[in-house]
Each structure stands twice: as structure tokens, then as C-alpha cells.
């Protein structure tokens, strides 16, 4: 009996002891959980503060850049553009963060694990509880030494996708939306040749030169990893993307020849799109067999097909989004609510980029052509307030995004932890881009001059050769993939190329213009109009437009513009009689109201051809006696109203409105005609008769 009581007491004591242990364990676990929660909240708060500090650094950089830009513009300093200033300030901040700021390392546990590649996520089992760790960056270099301020440098290093999804779209869209279409289409054939054929020539010439440089490095033992011919071609593609923002800004301030400006701007806009599609096509080169870096004709043709398919699909998607926005703004009353109209315009434009990327196309190409389509069609449907808002909005976004990228370039020189600087490769790269640019400009200019009436002068060619700067697009393409030794070397070298071209070539633009004896401060169009004497037959002496544009304009002006906008001739006057119901349905009442006056936004695009002045779809010429003759591609819409011997009495009928065009003094036929005054004086050189 006593033994049984003892056993019972012992069992009770053990139960109580176990209960106490369980309670202590639960208490300790809860305390650990509370401690973990407190530590997590503290770490989240510290991370938030660090992120705010990083963004504050870039905001202060942009603020300092803007103030310095004002000082330079006030003092009229043109030897350094704002992008160069942003890079300098970024370099200074990078030096301070790298060597001037020392933060304590909160690294408590160090373990070694031999793996072939660095995992992105590491799952650890600790006493049945699983913890997930993400790879943020290295805290030690290859030599086993601690990287100073590794956490700080990691924080100021952005995800490359930020550039493609947030910063690049407004820059590329603004390039298309602000395109000076009159001068662009005047040189359309030359621009397309430089952008497509020239970029491919530059890519392959640069790739071949770099392959020879890589073989030389391999022979002398300076190559520290694999570097294949496809890598050389990829490098040639990314450094073929020109970004002469500095030069174009100087051109605009100095009022350099408009054709030179149009050639450089048009080439840079389309050349970025070609370069990014070309780099994607080179990445898609996959030969059959074990060796993925041998020449394979079928794989080459497949890459060419990928290039054409991606570019065509991206172009179609961007144009389709622009057309859709034009239709929405035309057939709705959004113009009565400018804020909603501007918001829709912004979202539709930005969604073009995301839609193209989601469908496997190139968002940069899509958003570029979306910007061109929005400027050509949608802009005509917007209210006056929305027109001003959209222009200023995208101009502001372009300015901030571009300067942010150039500031980040300077910072990256010290914050990026995997730089590979090889002097031989760097020298070879500078030689390669020089030869590639020369092979692009000079041979193509020679061939283009064979068919151009307005020749591309040799001094223009030299300036285009000198002004082939590299900028945001080359940087964004090179930083997007830095996983291998070859890509790291490409990124480091591209960074130095951007620095050199922006500072040296951008700063030397003004002396280069003086050396090449290129006139500045002259509006070529006004000068051409001023040279027309009183006895000359031409109303204007502008250079002729490109023949592809003249064909396109006839179709666009007669059909697409009336369908998508309120401008242009009514469809009831251009479509056949059998299409009357459709024409009346698609033509807005505002289009009928605008019939009598030339309010088409594209009137500035109409250029003369030879001895005549093309206005609308009509070409006006004069014979030996000074009597005008006409040829129209749109019968019944425009016609001669009279052929009086009086040179002041030459009338043209535009949809019921008679315009009397004088010939005793030059007059710009591209200007917009204001409403006629109630009683115009007889001495008025332009008289309206209704």
C-alpha cells in the first residue's frame, strides 16, 4: 500500500514537473516569438529609413543638378550638358559612400558551403522551423576580404528592371511624342537607312573588332573567363545605341541646320529601338548540337526571323494602341473633362510598354511608335488644356528620368561590386566603336547622296560621326545582365564609354561645329523663303519631301486622319458614293465645321516638290507667264478658282473658301490661316473671299 502511494506521489510529481517544464518552454517560446517580432519590426523600420535615405540622396542629386543647370544656362556655358553634370555628382556621391561612410556589419553567423552557383533563395531548417533567406549581395570579395559598406552599396544598387519598366518608357515615349515630323519625314529615307542598315553595320563591325581583341587577350593570357563571338556581337549591339542628348540640346540652343538636327535625332530615336531588338535576336541565337557558340546557318536565319517578328509585332502593338486612344478620344466627350482626358492618355501610353513586354515583344519599340501615333492622331482630338498638359507632363518625366539615370551611372562606378576593368578590352572597345560609327556614316552617306537632291555635306557627316554619343539605352542594356564574366566586363567598359562620349564628345560639340564651319543661329526654312525673289515662280523653295512620305501622306490625309481625328477632309468627299453611310457615321460634326479652314495639324508636313508648292494634296506651279497651274490627287476638293493676269488675283478654292495667294512677296504656305477679318484692307497681301 505504501509502495503504491509512493508510486502515485512520484507520478504526480513527474506530471507536475512536466507541466512546469511545458509551461516554461511555452513561456520561453512566446518570449522568443515576441523577441523575433520586435526584431522584425525593428529591422523593417531600419530598412525603411535606409530606403528613404537612398531616395533622398538621389533627390538631392537631381536638385543640385537643376540648380547647376540654371547657373550654366544663366552664364551661357555650353561645354558641359546637364547629363554630364549629373554623372559628376553621381561619381562624387559614389566615392563618399564607398570610402567615406563606414557602417557596422551586422553579420553574426558565417558558414561555408561549396556550390557551383549562388542560389537566389536559401531554405534553412532550424529545429523543425523553416527560414527562407534571400541572396542580397556579397560581403566578401574573391580574395576573402570584407567588402566595405556592402549593405549600403547594395541598397543604392537598383534592380535593372526598374530602368526598363519605370525610367525608360517616359524617355522613349517623349522622343516619339515630341518628334518634329516635318523635318523627320523630309529625311525619312536617310533616317531609316542610318537607323536600320547603319546600326546593323555598326554592330557587326564592332563585334568583329572586339572578337579579334578577345582572341589577342586570350593569346597573352589576360582573359579571365569565357568570351564567345556571340558575346562580342551582343556588345556591338548595345554600344551601337546612340543617345546624343547633349549634342541635340546644344544644336537646339544654337539653332543648327534643321536637316542635320533631324538626321541625328531621327537616327537616335529609331536606332535605340533597333539596338534593343538586335540584342534580343543575338540572345536568341541557339545552334543545334552541344556547342552553343558555333556558326549555324539555320540558327542565324532563325535569329533574323526573330528580329523581324519582334520588331514588326512591337511596331504593330504601339501603333494599335495609339489608334485605339485616338478613337476613344474622338467618339467620346472626354475633352469636356481635361483631367480625365489627360489621365486616360497617360495610362494608355504607359500600358503600351507593359502590354508589349507581357506579350513577349519589346516595350521600348512599342512605346516609341505609340508616341508617334499619339502625336499624329490623338493629339488632334485633345482639348487645348490636355494638349498643354500632356506635352509638359512627358517633358518633365523625360527630364527627371534621364538625369536620374545619368546620376546613377556615376554612382554605379563605385557601388557596383563586380566590375571587370581590362585595359586591352577597353582600348579595343574605343577603337571598335570608332570604326563601327565610321562604317555606318560615311559609306551610307555616299550611297544616299546618289539619290538625294539635297546632299548630306561632308561636314555634316563628320559632325554625325563625332556626335555618336552613348547614353541611357546602352547603360540599361548592359546592366540588365551581369551574371557572367563577359557581361561584367561589357558593363564596366560600357560605363567608361558613356563617360567619355558624354564629357569629351558632348563638351566638344561647339568647337566641332566651328571647325566644320557649320552655320548656327539660322532658320533654314525662313532663309529659303527669304531668297525667293519677286520674279521667281515658286511660292516656297523648301527641299522636297521623301517620296515614301508623299505616297503615305495622300492616303493618310484622305482616309486615316478623317477616321481617327476631327481634322482632314470629310470622308463624304473622299470615299466613294457607295460608302456614304459609313462615311457619315465615321465623320464627326466638328470635321464638317473645320472644312472651310485649314486646321489640320499636319499642314506643316506638306513640303514642296521641285518648282511647286504642295499644299494639302495639291501642287501649284507657274508657267513662263506667271500663271499658276495645278495638279491634284483629290479631284473636286481643291481647284483653281481663276487665272487672272493680275499676280495678286490667283485664287484657290478649299472646300468653299477662296484663298487669294500673292506672288509679289514670299509667303510661307505652311502657316495656319487665321479667320478673316470683317473688312480686310485692300493692301492686305492675303485676302479671303468666302
Amino acid at each position: 500500500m505504501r509502495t503504491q502511494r509512493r508510486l502515485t506521489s512520484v507520478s504526480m510529481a513527474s506530471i507536475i514537473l512536466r507541466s512546469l517544464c511545458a509551461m516554461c518552454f511555452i513561456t520561453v517560446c512566446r518570449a522568443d516569438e515576441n523577441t523575433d517580432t520586435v526584431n522584425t519590426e525593428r529591422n523593417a523600420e531600419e530598412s525603411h529609413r535606409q530606403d528613404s535615405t537612398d531616395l533622398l540622396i538621389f533627390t538631392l542629386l537631381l536638385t543640385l543638378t537643376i540648380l547647376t543647370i540654371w547657373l550654366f544656362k544663366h552664364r551661357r556655358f555650353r561645354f558641359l550638358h546637364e547629363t554630364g553634370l549629373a554623372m559628376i555628382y553621381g561619381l562624387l556621391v559614389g566615392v563618399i559612400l564607398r570610402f567615406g561612410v563606414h557602417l557596422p556589419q551586422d553579420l553574426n553567423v558565417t558558414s561555408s558551403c561549396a556550390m557551383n552557383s549562388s542560389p537566389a533563395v536559401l531554405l534553412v531548417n532550424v529545429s523543425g522551423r523553416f527560414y527562407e533567406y534571400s541572396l542580397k549581395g556579397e560581403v566578401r570579395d574573391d580574395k576573402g576580404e570584407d567588402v566595405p559598406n556592402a549593405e549600403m552599396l547594395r541598397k543604392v544598387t537598383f534592380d535593372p528592371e526598374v530602368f526598363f519598366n519605370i525610367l525608360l518608357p517616359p524617355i522613349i515615349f517623349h522622343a516619339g511624342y515630341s518628334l518634329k515630323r516635318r523635318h523627320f519625314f523630309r529625311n525619312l529615307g536617310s533616317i531609316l537607312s542610318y537607323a536600320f542598315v547603319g546600326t546593323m553595320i555598326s554592330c557587326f563591325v564592332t563585334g568583329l573588332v572586339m572578337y579579334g581583341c578577345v582572341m589577342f587577350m586570350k593569346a597573352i593570357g589576360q582573359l579571365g573567363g569565357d568570351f564567345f563571338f556571340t558575346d562580342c556581337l551582343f556588345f556591338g549591339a548595345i554600344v551601337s545605341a546612340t543617345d546624343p542628348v547633349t549634342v541635340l540640346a546644344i544644336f537646339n540652343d544654337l539653332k543648327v541646320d534643321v536637316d542635320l538636327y533631324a538626321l541625328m535625332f531621327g537616327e537616335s530615336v529609331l536606332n535605340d529601338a533597333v539596338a534593343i531588338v538586335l540584342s534580343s535576336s543575338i540572345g536568341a541565337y541557339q545552334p543545334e548540337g552541344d556547342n552553343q557558340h558555333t556558326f549555324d546557318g539555320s540558327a542565324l536565319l532563325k535569329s533574323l526571323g526573330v528580329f523581324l517578328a519582334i520588331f514588326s509585332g512591337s511596331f504593330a502593338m504601339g501603333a494599335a494602341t495609339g489608334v485605339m486612344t485616338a478613337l476613344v478620344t474622338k467618339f467620346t466627350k472626354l475633352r469636356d473633362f481635361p483631367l480625365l482626358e489627360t489621365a486616360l492618355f497617360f495610362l494608355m501610353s504607359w500600358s503600351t510598354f507593359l502590354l508589349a513586354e507581357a506579350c513577349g515583344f519589346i516595350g521600348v519599340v512599342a512605346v516609341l511608335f505609340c508616341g508617334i501615333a499619339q502625336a499624329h492622331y490623338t493629339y488632334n482630338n485633345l482639348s487645348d488644356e490636355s494638349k498643354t498638359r500632356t506635352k509638359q507632363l512627358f517633358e518633365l518625366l523625360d527630364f527627371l528620368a534621364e538625369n536620374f539615370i545619368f546620376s546613377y551611372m556615376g554612382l554605379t562606378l563605385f557601388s557596383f561590386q563586380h566590375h571587370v576593368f581590362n585595359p586591352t578590352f577597353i582600348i579595343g572597345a574605343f577603337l571598335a566603336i570608332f570604326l563601327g560609327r565610321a562604317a555606318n556614316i560615311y559609306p551610307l552617306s555616299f550611297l544616299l547622296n546618289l539619290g538625294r537632291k539635297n546632299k548630306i555635306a561632308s561636314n555634316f557627316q563628320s559632325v554625325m560621326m563625332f556626335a555618336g554619343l552613348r547614353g541611357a539605352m546602352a547603360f540599361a542594356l548592359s546592366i540588365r545582365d551581369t551574371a557572367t564574366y563577359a557581361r561584367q566586363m561589357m558593363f564596366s567598359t560600357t560605363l567608361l564609354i558613356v563617360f567619355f562620349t558624354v564629357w569629351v564628345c558632348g563638351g566638344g560639340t561647339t568647337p566641332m561645329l566651328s571647325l566644320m564651319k557649320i552655320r548656327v543661329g539660322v532658320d533654314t526654312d525662313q532663309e529659303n523663303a527669304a531668297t525667293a525673289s519677286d520674279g521667281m515662280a515658286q511660292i516656297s523653295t523648301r527641299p522636297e519631301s521623301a517620296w515614301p512620305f508623299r505616297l503615305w501622306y495622300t492616303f493618310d490625309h484622305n482616309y486615316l486622319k478623317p477616321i481617327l481625328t476631327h481634322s482632314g477632309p470629310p470622308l463624304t468627299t473622299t470615299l466613294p458614293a457607295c460608302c456614304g453611310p459609313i462615311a457619315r457615321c465615321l465623320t464627326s460634326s466638328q470635321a464638317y465645321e473645320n472644312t472651310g479652314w485649314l486646321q489640320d495639324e499636319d499642314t506643316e508636313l506638306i513640303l514642296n516638290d521641285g518648282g511647286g508648292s504642295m499644299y494639302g494634296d495639291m501642287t501649284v506651279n507657274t508657267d513662263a507667264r506667271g500663271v499658276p497651274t495645278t495638279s491634284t490627287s483629290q479631284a473636286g476638293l481643291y481647284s483653281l478658282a481663276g487665272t487672272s493676269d493680275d499676280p495678286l488675283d490667283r485664287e484657290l478654292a478649299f472646300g468653299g473658301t477662296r484663298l487669294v495667294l500673292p506672288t509679289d512677296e514670299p509667303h510661307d504656305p505652311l502657316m495656319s490661316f487665321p479667320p478673316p477679318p470683317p473688312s480686310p484692307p485692300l493692301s492686305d497681301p492675303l485676302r479671303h473671299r468666302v
Side-chain angles (χ1 to χ4, degrees), residues 26 112 145 230 255 625 645 685:
I26 293 173
S112 299
E145 300 178 357
T230 51
K255 298 187 184 301
R625 298 184 297 109
D645 293 333

Side-chain angles (χ1 to χ4, degrees), residues 479-495:
I479 200 176
R480 200 172 191 181
D481 182 8
T482 56
T484 63
Y485 169 83
R487 297 299 175 89
Q488 293 169 6
M489 186 184 296
M490 291 181 202
F491 172 68
S492 303
T493 306
T494 302
L495 207 57

Side-chain angles (χ1 to χ4, degrees), residues 363-412:
V364 171
V365 180
V367 80
L368 169 64
F369 289 102
C370 175
I372 296 176
Q374 300 280 45
H376 191 61
Y377 298 115
T378 311
Y379 184 82
N380 296 307
N381 299 333
L382 300 178
S383 61
D384 293 337
E385 187 175 351
S386 295
K387 289 179 180 179
T388 304
R389 280 181 176 177
T390 54
K391 280 184 173 293
Q392 294 178 348
L393 172 64
F394 283 102
E395 185 178 6
L396 174 64
L397 293 177
D398 169 73
F399 175 81
L400 292 178
E402 198 160 59
N403 282 277
F404 181 89
I405 290 179
F406 279 94
S407 299
Y408 184 70
M409 286 184 196
L411 183 63
T412 306

Side-chain angles (χ1 to χ4, degrees), residues 18 49 168 352 363 526 630 661:
R18 288 177 182 176
R49 290 179 180 177
L168 276 184
T352 305
Q526 294 179 0
T630 182
L661 301 181

Side-chain angles (χ1 to χ4, degrees), residues 38-52:
V38 172
N39 291 335
T40 301
E41 293 177 354
R42 185 178 303 170
N43 292 335
E45 185 177 354
E46 290 295 330
S47 178
H48 174 72
R49 290 179 180 177
Q50 183 65 52
D51 292 339
S52 300

Side-chain angles (χ1 to χ4, degrees), residues 216-359:
F216 175 74
M217 292 170 57
K218 186 176 182 180
I220 62 178
Q222 289 189 1
L223 199 61
D226 293 332
F227 211 113
F228 302 100
F229 180 65
T230 51
D231 295 324
C232 296
L233 287 179
F234 181 82
F235 179 73
I238 62 177
V239 297
S240 295
T242 59
D243 185 18
V245 58
T246 304
V247 176
L248 292 176
I250 296 175
F251 281 7
N252 190 50
D253 292 339
L254 297 178
K255 298 187 184 301
V256 179
D257 185 275
V258 290
D259 286 327
L260 177 60
Y261 184 95
L263 286 172
M264 290 199 59
F265 181 78
E267 182 211 359
S268 65
V269 168
L270 296 179
N271 145 287
D272 286 347
V274 175
I276 189 172
V277 178
L278 196 58
S279 61
S280 300
S281 303
I282 294 172
Y285 178 77
Q286 296 291 338
E288 297 180 358
D290 297 333
N291 191 351
Q292 298 296 315
H293 300 281
T294 58
F295 176 78
D296 189 345
S298 60
L300 181 63
L301 293 178
K302 182 179 178 181
S303 297
L304 182 60
V306 169
F307 173 85
L308 297 176
I310 291 179
F311 194 93
S312 302
S314 303
F315 166 79
M317 190 165 292
T321 308
V323 168
M324 187 183 305
T325 310
L327 290 174
V328 171
T329 53
K330 178 183 178 180
F331 292 104
T332 61
K333 296 295 183 179
L334 273 174
R335 62 182 296 114
D336 297 336
F337 305 94
L339 181 60
L340 299 180
E341 189 179 36
T342 305
L344 177 69
F345 183 92
F346 176 81
L347 293 176
M348 291 291 288
S349 302
W350 200 297
S351 63
T352 305
F353 178 88
L354 301 177
L355 178 63
E357 291 288 334
C359 295

Side-chain angles (χ1 to χ4, degrees), residues 585-625:
C585 179
L586 295 178
T587 303
S588 63
S589 59
Q590 187 174 349
Y592 290 107
E593 296 173 0
N594 296 338
T595 303
W597 302 105
L598 300 177
Q599 295 182 352
D600 190 349
E601 295 290 340
D602 277 348
T603 53
E604 67 171 7
L605 299 179
I606 314 307
L607 309 174
N608 66 321
D609 185 14
S613 174
M614 183 185 292
Y615 206 124
D617 295 313
M618 179 180 61
T619 302
V620 181
N621 299 282
T622 56
D623 58 16
R625 298 184 297 109

